[in-house]
Amino acid sequence: MLNFKSIEVPIHIGTFFFMKKTIYFLFTKSVGLYINFLSFLVPEKATQLAYTLFSEPRDGKLYKEKLPAVLQETEKETYHHKDSHFQTYTWKGNDTIILLAHGWESNASRWKNILPYLRKSGSTIIAIDAPAHGLSGGKEFNIPQYAEFIDVIVQKFKPQYLIGHSLGAKTCLYYQSTYLDNSIEKTVVLGSPSDFKIILNNYIEMLSLNSIISGGLEAHYLKNFNIKLENFSGQLFAAAIQTKGLIAHDRDDTIVLFEEGKKIASTWKDAIFIETSGLGHSMHSDELYKKIFQFLFD
């Protein structure tokens, strides 16, 4: 006999998640409908709204009075750059310096799991909060500004090693291909997207935005960042990088497809590619951390 009491909770949980997905679907489509309607009246305002929703993270901020424990033990410094400011956290060590760049809707505390491995080397480790993340200022995240923040630290401290995750990893690729005269000897990219146009198209599809908005977004990037979306590619960035690289991507990554990592690896002349499984997008793994340590220090 079927015991309905035993399945009552799973049924309620399933219903909850179904309703949550339905509400989210209706919300995104409603937002897209409003933006599309606005595009026929004031296209510039509609495009700006679409860009704001796309570029403003909804998670990843930190508060000085509630810093994660892993960041409380660091030397903290705030840098002012142009009209913004950004935050760094330093674990002091020797003259070998590692710079860490986190990804979207994250912050410098995401490196907690890899830190014990990196600190075994005795190196000085510097983690940076991306624009609009952690304790850094601003409301908008964009890769060119993130790369500027990285360059400020590179010029001051001359790190030999650069490690990035997700959009932080893509920023590392952009940085290495654009700021050619720097101290970086080896770069590690974890779960990095390649084609920015895929990310933007996924957003446009999610909200069902019309051609006025999609064209307006492309024009926005060209006007404000001098970027043609088809050229804003990790695969193209990697082709210009002369230093050694390690690329790691997980087959079960549902945020950034595995094929994106393979694209980057296909053009990076002096890089090795590590395929993982079961780690998802976070890429947390003792085995992987050991391989990163070997790559950097052996």
Side-chain angles (χ1 to χ4, degrees):
M1 180 181 293
L2 185 61
N3 184 352
F4 286 98
K5 289 184 178 179
S6 67
I7 64 170
E8 183 177 0
V9 172
I11 286 176
H12 287 330
I13 291 174
T15 302
F16 170 77
F17 283 112
F18 173 77
M19 291 179 63
K20 190 175 181 181
K21 287 183 178 180
T22 301
I23 292 170
Y24 180 75
F25 175 82
L26 293 174
F27 172 75
T28 56
K29 296 306 178 184
S30 297
V31 170
L33 186 64
Y34 172 72
I35 294 174
N36 287 339
F37 173 75
L38 202 62
S39 71
F40 294 106
L41 303 176
V42 277
E44 290 186 3
K45 182 178 179 179
T47 297
Q48 183 59 49
L49 176 58
Y51 176 76
T52 297
L53 291 175
F54 178 68
S55 62
E56 286 189 9
R58 289 162 291 283
D59 199 1
K61 292 296 288 184
L62 293 173
Y63 301 93
K64 290 183 179 180
E65 63 276 9
K66 294 183 180 180
L67 280 180
V70 68
L71 300 181
Q72 291 179 16
E73 63 190 51
T74 64
E75 292 184 9
K76 290 163 277 292
E77 189 165 0
T78 303
Y79 292 83
H80 294 273
H81 179 71
K82 295 183 177 178
D83 296 327
S84 188
H85 68 272
F86 65 94
Q87 186 73 24
T88 64
Y89 312 84
T90 301
W91 294 265
K92 292 292 289 184
N94 58 35
D95 291 338
T96 299
I97 298 174
I98 306 170
L99 179 58
L100 308 177
H102 69 80
W104 173 255
E105 293 189 340
S106 184
N107 52 63
S109 68
R110 75 92 52 206
W111 302 107
K112 175 183 177 180
N113 293 345
I114 196 176
L115 276 170
Y117 291 89
L118 298 179
R119 298 187 76 177
K120 285 180 183 178
S121 68
S123 303
T124 292
I125 303 165
I126 303 173
I128 186 172
D129 280 335
H133 292 77
L135 295 180
S136 291
K139 294 183 178 180
E140 172 189 331
F141 173 93
N142 66 74
I143 286 176
Q145 184 184 32
Y146 199 1
E148 288 182 21
F149 289 0
I150 288 174
D151 190 55
V152 170
I153 302 305
V154 169
Q155 295 307 318
K156 181 174 181 178
F157 294 101
K158 309 296 182 185
Q160 294 92 334
Y161 306 133
L162 181 61
I163 304 176
H165 172 252
S166 191
L167 280 179
K170 182 163 183 178
T171 303
C172 292
L173 295 171
Y174 173 80
Y175 177 77
Q176 282 286 77
S177 66
T178 306
Y179 297 75
L180 298 175
D181 185 18
N182 60 61
S183 59
I184 306 298
E185 298 173 5
K186 295 180 180 180
T187 302
V188 177
V189 296
L190 308 172
S192 175
S194 175
D195 298 338
F196 183 75
K197 200 161 187 177
I198 291 177
I199 300 173
L200 186 61
N201 285 343
N202 287 341
Y203 168 73
I204 290 169
E205 183 178 345
M206 181 179 69
L207 268 64
S208 299
L209 298 176
N210 62 28
S211 58
I212 298 173
I213 299 300
S214 61
L217 288 171
E218 290 204 30
H220 179 90
Y221 279 95
L222 185 61
K223 177 182 178 182
N224 292 277
F225 305 111
N226 195 29
I227 291 173
K228 291 184 177 180
L229 296 188
E230 59 270 22
N231 296 332
F232 202 64
S233 160
Q235 185 175 10
L236 294 180
F237 299 156
I241 298 175
Q242 302 300 316
T243 54
K244 293 181 179 180
L246 183 149
I247 306 155
H249 213 110
D250 195 78
R251 279 203 166 274
D252 301 315
D253 190 337
T254 58
I255 305 299
V256 179
L257 295 181
F258 177 74
E259 288 71 20
E260 292 287 279
K262 295 290 286 185
K263 289 178 186 177
I264 295 167
S266 70
T267 60
W268 196 338
K269 298 181 181 66
D270 198 5
I272 58 175
F273 181 77
I274 295 177
E275 173 185 330
T276 63
S277 180
L279 305 183
H281 188 58
S282 66
M283 302 294 290
H284 292 307
S285 160
D286 291 333
E287 183 179 350
L288 177 59
Y289 296 154
K290 290 175 184 177
K291 290 179 179 179
I292 292 172
F293 184 91
Q294 292 170 354
F295 168 73
L296 294 179
F297 300 107
D298 285 358

